[in-house]
Amino acid sequence: AEYMGIQTLSQEYSEMLLTLFGVLCCVLNVAEKESVSFPLFKWAQDSTRIWITIHVAAVRDEKIEFQEKRMLFEGVGGADNKFYRLDLKLHKAISPEQSSMTRLDKNILVTLQKKDQESKHWPYLLSTTKKTEEGNMRIDWTRWKVDESNAELSGAEEGHTEDKNTKKPKPKPIKGQQPPTRETKK
């Protein structure tokens, strides 16, 4: 009879331990999701490629995945060794087999090869508007390539002059002289 009591007690403890284990797993899973950081990234393009610079220093255990309209980056890095994840749903298709990643000391450089090279420049990078992505997204003006055949930018070459609404810089006064006064119409 004493053996049956121990077995019942052991079974109750087992059930209790399983319940505690389940609760602990849920807590750890929630903590893991909360500890994911979204890195700052910059992007630029030319008619055939898109460059994405992910600003995370000293990345290790990195993983990058290219799909036709998606790029996924995961890695641990930075001064505080945080887990970073960047999941981008792209505006148009890329060629995953021709896309690449280069790890540098202070960041990750991703080169995406555009699939449809007829369309030239993409008007925007993402197909969605996620606040976590948009808040950390910047344009990399140092890499931006301007195509000379772009109709928007070639207007000046076709004889169009500057817009009448653009402000002209005010003349700077010469040292010792009074600045010019504005005449009012009566």
Side-chain angles (χ1 to χ4, degrees):
E2 199 173 302
Y3 174 74
M4 294 296 272
I6 292 174
Q7 187 176 11
T8 306
L9 188 60
S10 175
Q11 190 174 12
E12 288 174 13
Y13 279 128
S14 294
E15 289 174 9
M16 220 166 52
L17 283 174
L18 283 174
T19 304
L20 284 173
F21 181 73
V23 169
L24 183 61
C25 286
C26 288
V27 168
L28 290 175
N29 193 19
V30 168
E32 180 181 311
K33 287 181 182 177
E34 289 177 357
S35 66
V36 172
S37 296
F38 300 96
L40 171 71
F41 69 100
K42 293 181 178 179
W43 77 287
Q45 67 177 317
D46 66 8
S47 59
T48 61
R49 296 169 293 196
I50 291 191
W51 295 282
I52 297 175
T53 305
I54 304 169
H55 291 273
V56 178
V59 174
R60 65 184 195 293
D61 302 329
E62 72 274 0
K63 175 185 133 187
I64 192 142
E65 184 180 318
F66 300 112
Q67 295 176 4
E68 190 170 284
K69 291 189 87 176
R70 180 177 180 229
M71 185 208 79
L72 172 67
F73 165 80
E74 294 179 340
V76 177
D80 45 5
N81 286 319
K82 286 185 177 179
F83 177 73
Y84 288 92
R85 180 183 175 102
L86 186 62
D87 189 2
L88 302 178
K89 313 270 186 300
L90 303 170
H91 172 64
K92 291 188 177 183
I94 61 167
S95 180
E97 56 279 346
Q98 293 178 339
S99 298
S100 64
M101 177 195 79
T102 305
R103 182 171 26 140
L104 305 171
D105 288 339
K106 295 187 179 189
N107 51 42
I108 301 286
L109 178 61
V110 178
T111 305
L112 305 175
Q113 190 69 38
K114 293 179 181 178
K115 192 167 194 170
D116 179 19
Q117 296 182 11
E118 299 289 321
S119 65
K120 307 253 178 192
H121 285 82
W122 293 4
Y124 38 87
L125 177 65
L126 305 176
S127 66
T128 62
T129 56
K130 290 185 180 176
K131 295 299 176 192
T132 53
E133 293 167 352
E134 286 183 350
N136 294 335
M137 181 171 60
R138 307 284 187 272
I139 293 176
D140 190 351
W141 294 110
T142 61
R143 289 188 180 274
W144 199 269
K145 303 289 182 185
V146 178
D147 192 5
E148 295 300 324
S149 65
N150 191 340
E152 296 171 343
L153 300 176
S154 64
E157 296 173 354
E158 296 173 7
H160 298 290
T161 57
E162 65 182 47
D163 188 1
K164 292 178 185 178
N165 294 330
T166 57
K167 292 184 177 180
K168 294 180 182 177
K170 294 180 182 178
K172 293 182 181 178
I174 300 172
K175 216 175 200 181
Q177 287 185 350
Q178 292 291 327
T181 58
R182 179 178 248 177
E183 294 180 24
T184 58
K185 295 184 180 180
K186 295 179 182 178

